Amino acid sequence: MIELHQFAPVDGVNMSPFCAKVETWLRLTRTPYRVVIDPPFKGPRGKLPFIVDGGVTIADSGEILARLEAASPTPLDAGLDDASRATAHLVRRTLEESLYFVMLWDRWALDANWPRVRDGFFAMIPAPIRPLVTALIRRKILRDLRGHGLGRMSADEVHRRGVADIAAVAAVLGTRDFLVADHPTVIDVVLYAFVDNLLNGGFPGPLRDAARAAPGLVAHHARM
């Protein structure tokens, strides 16, 4: 059985879209697995998720799904043509390399949202030392976001970027049931993980409002 090492859920929501996409793939394909709650520093790359499959440890959600798809007798992406795979690649990059950092900023930089991150993501850290440990982690995240560029922008500028990403992905999906096929593929797993975080992650604001205002995304989320 596959071991999925990830964050603890917060109010029933898998708050890491990268952990959520791996767990969604496992659920969708009915692959036996069990969850192990771990802090990020236990991962091979200092991040979550990672899996242990047949004694082999695999880090990075993209690498994990590539391995699982390759080993599956019925991979979700089987039969996709080059154009569909290219569309999926571009949407995944928009979600994981652009929108993700906006969501990260929204959670870690805004003082109104920070306590939920601190007490939700890091509930496994003993309460007496949690404020100190999480303050150090937050400082690093904010330094990384400043290096990325988002940390140098105003809240309005950051949110405009995220809203534009959400609108672009919603436009690609349109009124179709799924993004690139008539059945769920890996990109639908990725999209679901991000939209679930936006709709149910508990962080009110422009990003959640934009997701809720996109009927196609809401319908896709419900369908998945």
Side-chain angles (χ1 to χ4, degrees):
M1 180 179 291
I2 291 172
E3 286 186 359
L4 170 59
H5 294 251
Q6 62 178 358
F7 293 100
V10 180
D11 296 332
V13 178
N14 194 332
M15 297 287 281
S16 162
F18 299 102
C19 294
K21 83 176 189 184
V22 174
E23 186 164 19
T24 301
W25 189 96
L26 293 167
R27 291 172 57 204
L28 187 62
T29 59
R30 294 181 170 84
T31 301
Y33 73 100
R34 73 181 188 94
V35 169
V36 179
I37 303 302
D38 266 333
F41 60 79
K42 287 198 174 180
R45 299 182 182 178
K47 293 184 177 183
L48 296 174
F50 66 94
I51 68 168
V52 179
D53 182 13
V56 179
T57 300
I58 304 101
D60 183 85
S61 62
E63 295 297 323
I64 291 168
L65 290 196
R67 175 186 173 91
L68 294 175
E69 279 278 291
S72 173
T74 55
L76 297 182
D77 281 359
L80 290 184
D81 61 22
D82 289 345
S84 296
R85 292 180 184 274
T87 299
H89 176 84
L90 293 171
V91 171
R92 184 169 67 86
R93 283 286 191 259
T94 299
L95 294 171
E96 295 186 352
E97 305 297 340
S98 182
L99 180 59
Y100 168 70
F101 289 98
V102 174
M103 294 168 65
L104 191 70
W105 181 94
D106 194 61
R107 294 176 176 186
W108 290 74
L110 290 182
D111 290 337
N113 292 340
W114 163 242
R116 184 175 174 83
V117 174
R118 179 192 63 211
D119 298 332
F121 271 78
F122 300 101
M124 79 290 292
I125 298 177
I129 64 170
R130 190 183 306 153
L132 174 61
V133 172
T134 55
L136 293 173
I137 298 172
R138 188 189 192 196
R139 186 183 305 169
K140 179 186 183 304
I141 294 292
L142 295 181
R143 184 173 66 246
D144 291 347
L145 285 168
R146 185 168 177 80
H148 178 280
L150 286 181
R152 303 170 188 267
M153 299 179 185
S154 69
D156 285 345
E157 289 175 311
V158 175
H159 284 143
R160 279 200 299 272
R161 288 189 170 215
V163 169
D165 286 339
I166 293 167
V169 173
V172 173
L173 176 63
T175 59
R176 293 192 301 277
D177 286 351
F178 303 105
L179 247 163
V180 295
D182 60 2
H183 59 276
T185 62
V186 171
I187 189 56
D188 294 292
V189 167
V190 178
L191 178 58
Y192 170 80
F194 274 84
V195 174
D196 191 56
N197 265 250
L198 292 170
L199 295 179
N200 299 322
F203 295 94
L207 302 181
R208 186 171 72 177
D209 292 346
R212 287 181 172 179
L217 295 182
V218 174
H220 180 274
H221 176 268
R223 193 172 296 114
M224 287 292 291

